[in-house]
């Protein structure tokens, strides 16, 4: 491990978060390995549900042991899982969690999951997306386990596990990747499986707007693809967008494999969830990049589980940020009549 890590005042937080995300990543891979992609009925979301709850249970169990006073604003709540109709599902979750934490029972697993159902802002809390990019998980493509620590509204620590991402886009993806960041200490990555030392990553130095490679959601419902195409035309960007699910997009920008990640609002109403961005934002900013919303404001993590004061998200390597914001403003992207 890099020396700063052991001596940092958040060393215990980093050790705990990293081990927890790694364990959750293994659970997700175990569940995914059971999916027969060919046979999975289109509307059968049960594998992702099992992995989602299992991942949140493991991470909240680990955080609860070491930091019992820390609230966790996570995506899931065990209420649905405790309904009589879902007993079989609960049993599957308990089975998978039990592989990692011996002797866990249904009641305990639900308690761990519900440790992550905080909604309100507090001076120190974690935010967790146990499986970000559920559609990618079901397709056998990209998904992420995203955990961040926020203190006095500021991102201090991030662990972003990407079980289906190699340490570069060209590399073999079978060991997955974890990115970690501590404020002021850079962004580092290592394989999810194995014991390799973390390697520091940084954003692309590209300053020519026409050379921007950008990424965006696979799901058109999550980001306005038409607007990003207009933006690309305006800036004479030749490269086709890379479409991938989850905060893996932040990982790609953090390590210089894309200059931007665009999440362009489709309406005035949707508010981004903090667990979809917290870990990714710190990974990119610590790698030298910049993140704002579409109008150009910083993301405000002090308002509960949603980014109430922000519209869309623009992530860049830094030098390209103003050009992107200006072009979007010129095109009226993010301006709605109602
Ligand atoms: P992605 O994999 O980047 O497409 O993002 C997945 C995330 O999109 C999920 O975790 C949801 O919280 C979030 N999401 C759901 N509906 C919307 C929406 N209308 N606009 C933006 N994000 C959304
Ligand atoms: Mg998500």
């Amino acid at each position: 491990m890099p020396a700063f890590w052991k001596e940092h005042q958040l060393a215990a937080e980093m050790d705990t978060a990293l081990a927890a995300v790694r364990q959750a990543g293994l659970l997700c891979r175990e569940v995914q390995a059971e999916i027969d992609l060919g046979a999975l009925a289109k509307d059968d979301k049960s594998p992702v549900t099992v992995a989602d709850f299992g991942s949140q249970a493991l991470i909240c169990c680990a955080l609860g042991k070491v930091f019992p006073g820390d609230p966790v604003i996570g995506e899931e709540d065990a209420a649905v899982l405790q309904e009589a109709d879902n007993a079989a599902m609960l049993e599957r979750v308990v089975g998978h969690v039990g592989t990692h934490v011996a002797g866990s029972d249904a009641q305990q697993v639900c308690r761990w999951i519900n440790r992550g159902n905080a909604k309100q802002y507090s001076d120190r809390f974690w935010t967790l997306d146990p499986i970000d990019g559920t559609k990618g998980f079901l397709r056998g493509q990209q998904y992420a386990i995203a955990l961040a620590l926020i203190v006095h509204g500021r991102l201090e620590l991030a662990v972003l596990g990407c079980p289906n991402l190699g340490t570069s886009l060209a590399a073999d993806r079978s060991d997955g990747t974890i990115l970690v960041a501590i404020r002021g200490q850079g962004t580092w990555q290592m394989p999810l499986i194995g014991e390799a030392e973390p390697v520091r990553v940084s954003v692309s130095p590209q300053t020519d707007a026409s050379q921007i490679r950008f990424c965006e959601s696979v799901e058109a419902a999550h980001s306005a693809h038409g607007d990003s195409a207009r933006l690309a035309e305006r800036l004479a960007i030749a490269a086709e967008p890379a479409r991938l699910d989850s905060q893996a997009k932040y990982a790609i920008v953090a390590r210089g494999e894309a200059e931007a990640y665009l999440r362009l609002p489709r309406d005035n109403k949707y508010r981004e969830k903090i667990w979809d961005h917290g870990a990714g934002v710190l990974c990119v900013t610590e790698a030298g990049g910049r993140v704002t919303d579409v109008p150009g404001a910083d993301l405000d993590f002090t308002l509960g589980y949603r980014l109430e004061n922000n519209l869309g998200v623009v992530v860049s390597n830094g030098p390209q940020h103003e050009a992107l914001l200006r072009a979007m403003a010129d095109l009226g992207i993010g301006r709605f009549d109602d």
Side-chain angles (χ1 to χ4, degrees):
M1 289 291 163
F4 77 83
W5 205 310
K6 281 197 289 288
E7 283 137 36
H8 197 278
Q9 56 175 353
L10 295 177
E13 281 82 350
M14 181 50 98
D15 285 345
T16 307
L18 178 57
V21 168
R22 204 168 235 151
Q23 195 177 49
L26 295 179
L27 179 144
C28 293
R29 285 165 69 107
E30 286 150 17
V31 177
Q32 198 172 49
E34 290 171 3
I35 306 177
D36 177 350
L37 285 175
L40 192 70
K42 220 173 171 338
D43 56 355
D44 181 7
K45 303 273 189 310
S46 68
V48 73
T49 313
V50 171
D52 220 358
F53 284 117
S55 170
Q56 180 154 327
L58 285 181
I59 291 173
C60 292
C61 166
L63 292 177
K65 272 186 196 144
V66 189
F67 308 107
D70 285 357
V72 182
I73 300 186
E75 189 169 18
E76 302 303 337
D77 182 293
V80 208
L81 206 52
Q82 285 166 303
E83 288 167 9
D85 283 358
N86 290 328
M89 175 77 76
L90 176 57
E91 202 176 310
R92 283 167 70 191
V93 175
V94 174
H96 280 282
V97 171
T99 316
H100 298 274
V101 184
S104 28
D105 61 43
Q107 219 183 357
Q108 229 172 12
V109 166
C110 289
R111 225 181 298 126
W112 291 332
I113 293 168
N114 282 340
R115 268 196 56 78
N117 70 4
K119 291 280 181 291
Q120 306 295 328
Y121 171 78
S122 54
D123 279 349
R124 174 178 151 123
F125 68 96
W126 300 82
T127 188
L128 167 68
D129 197 337
I131 290 198
D132 182 32
T134 52
K135 303 241 170 75
F137 179 88
L138 284 168
R139 288 192 232 97
Q141 297 170 352
Q142 294 306 326
Y143 65 98
I145 297 130
L147 179 63
L149 174 68
I150 295 169
V151 184
H152 299 303
R154 197 156 65 171
L155 289 159
E156 293 290 343
L157 182 157
V159 179
L160 183 61
C162 302
N164 282 341
L165 188 69
T167 47
S168 75
L169 285 173
D172 181 80
R173 62 174 220 170
S174 54
D175 287 341
T177 299
I178 296 193
L179 281 84
V180 298
I182 297 186
R183 190 171 59 78
Q185 307 291 344
T187 302
W188 303 70
Q189 75 166 356
M190 68 205 104
L192 179 89
I193 309 281
E195 297 290 322
E197 284 290 303
V199 173
R200 193 161 182 173
V201 297
S202 52
V203 295
S204 157
Q206 183 58 254
T207 55
D208 178 349
S210 71
Q211 298 302 308
I212 289 176
R213 298 161 293 173
F214 72 91
C215 47
E216 62 186 358
S217 280
V218 175
E219 301 300 320
H222 296 170
S223 186
H225 289 168
D227 282 345
S228 63
R230 288 200 296 138
L231 182 68
E233 196 182 335
R234 174 78 165 211
L235 294 173
I237 294 172
E240 284 296 311
R243 292 200 173 136
L244 50 162
D245 299 284
S246 83
Q247 286 168 71
K249 294 184 280 295
Y250 279 101
I252 304 298
V253 176
R255 58 196 203 181
E257 294 180 305
E259 282 71 30
Y261 158 26
L262 303 174
R263 196 171 186 89
L264 307 182
R266 295 174 52 95
D267 59 49
N268 227 346
K269 308 269 168 351
Y270 184 80
R271 291 294 174 267
E272 298 287 336
K273 308 296 188 297
I274 61 169
W275 52 74
D276 284 331
H277 299 283
V281 169
L282 194 65
C283 287
V284 163
T285 53
E286 280 302 315
R290 205 177 147 197
V291 183
T292 66
D293 68 0
V294 168
D298 290 337
L299 303 189
D300 183 348
F301 287 92
T302 69
L303 301 171
Y305 74 101
R306 286 185 296 228
L307 296 171
E308 299 288 359
N309 283 348
N310 296 112
L311 193 63
V313 180
V314 180
V315 180
S316 81
N317 64 336
Q320 309 280 13
H321 210 85
E322 290 302 328
L324 286 165
L325 292 181
R326 217 174 313 116
M328 284 189 293
D330 289 350
L331 292 168
I333 292 172
R335 268 206 310 274
F336 301 94
D337 291 336
D338 56 338

